[in-house]
Amino acid sequence: LSAADVEEAIGFRSSSSSSPSGASGRVHAVEEVRGVLLPVLEARLRMQAENLAAFCHPKAGVTYGWGAVVLPRLREKVERVAVLKTCLRQRRSDALSLIVQRLEVQLDTLDLMARLLEDYKVSKQPKWDLAQKEFLLAFCEAQVLKVARLQSEIRLDTYTPLTTPALSKIRDLIMEEKLKTEKEMHSHRKLLDEYQAAGPPMQALAKQYAAIRKDLEDKEWALRQVREDQ
């Protein structure tokens, strides 16, 4: 403590500070007060520091202070953390066991599929193919027999004692028309060969003849339409 602090504490600063006798008495009083107050203040500060140290770090068996309050909470938190760790480990082990079980099930399924493919698909596929081939052959033979039966039915329905003479006449007419058509085709082909042998002038003349003939047909059609309208 300074002399000014002591003077302010005991009230000497506001009293007579101008006289020399007052100044010497004030110095003497400050020294006395300092000698009395310092040991008291030091003792009180030491006691407060010891109390604070005892509160923060209590001795064994003491049920008060900072340690008595904080340590149970710390133990509780540590126990909670330990329980959480145990739960997490248990959950991790359960998850890993579940994953392992699923992988085992998938492996068993793949193994079963491989055995099924090997036992039923690979080993029995040739037998199934042969059976399907035989079935298809039998089906084709049945279809051939069905077509033959239909042909026989059509022949029986077509060539009866009543229809045979008519069909023979129709055949004769068709043959006659065929011969006529072949003769016309032969003549037309001969005429075409002659036109082609004549060269480009004959081709131009043939095109002009075709255009004139088309024009005449159009005019005849228009004339018929006019007559019908009248």
Side-chain angles (χ1 to χ4, degrees), residues 154-180:
I154 291 170
R155 287 175 183 174
L156 289 175
D157 293 337
T158 304
Y159 299 102
T160 61
L162 297 176
T163 58
T164 302
L167 291 172
S168 63
K169 289 181 181 180
I170 293 170
R171 181 177 180 278
D172 293 338
L173 292 174
I174 292 171
M175 293 302 292
E176 290 177 0
E177 291 293 330
K178 179 183 177 183
L179 290 173
K180 290 180 181 180

Side-chain angles (χ1 to χ4, degrees), residues 36-163:
V36 175
L37 288 178
L38 284 178
V40 174
L41 290 175
E42 288 178 356
R44 288 187 178 181
L45 288 174
R46 189 180 296 107
M47 184 178 63
Q48 292 294 333
E50 291 176 356
N51 292 332
L52 182 60
F55 183 80
C56 293
H57 300 285
K59 298 179 181 179
V62 179
T63 58
Y64 64 88
W66 176 259
V69 177
V70 174
L71 289 177
R73 293 182 181 177
L74 289 176
R75 292 192 190 96
E76 185 178 357
K77 288 183 179 180
V78 170
E79 291 176 357
R80 288 181 182 177
V81 171
V83 171
L84 289 175
K85 287 183 178 180
T86 305
C87 293
L88 289 175
R89 291 194 189 95
Q90 186 66 32
R91 289 182 181 178
R92 179 183 289 179
S93 62
D94 295 339
L96 290 174
S97 63
L98 182 61
I99 291 171
V100 170
Q101 291 177 1
R102 289 182 178 177
L103 290 175
E104 289 179 353
V105 171
Q106 290 179 0
L107 290 174
D108 294 338
T109 305
L110 291 174
D111 190 12
L112 180 61
M113 290 176 66
R115 280 186 289 148
L116 288 173
L117 288 173
E118 184 179 359
D119 296 340
Y120 296 97
K121 184 70 176 175
V122 177
S123 62
K124 296 184 179 180
Q125 186 66 33
K127 297 179 181 179
W128 293 346
D129 293 338
L130 290 174
Q132 189 174 7
K133 184 191 74 173
E134 293 176 356
F135 169 75
L136 291 174
L137 289 173
F139 180 76
C140 291
E141 291 177 359
Q143 295 298 319
V144 170
L145 293 174
K146 186 177 180 180
V147 170
R149 184 176 63 83
L150 289 174
Q151 288 178 353
S152 301
E153 291 179 356
I154 291 170
R155 287 175 183 174
L156 289 175
D157 293 337
T158 304
Y159 299 102
T160 61
L162 297 176
T163 58

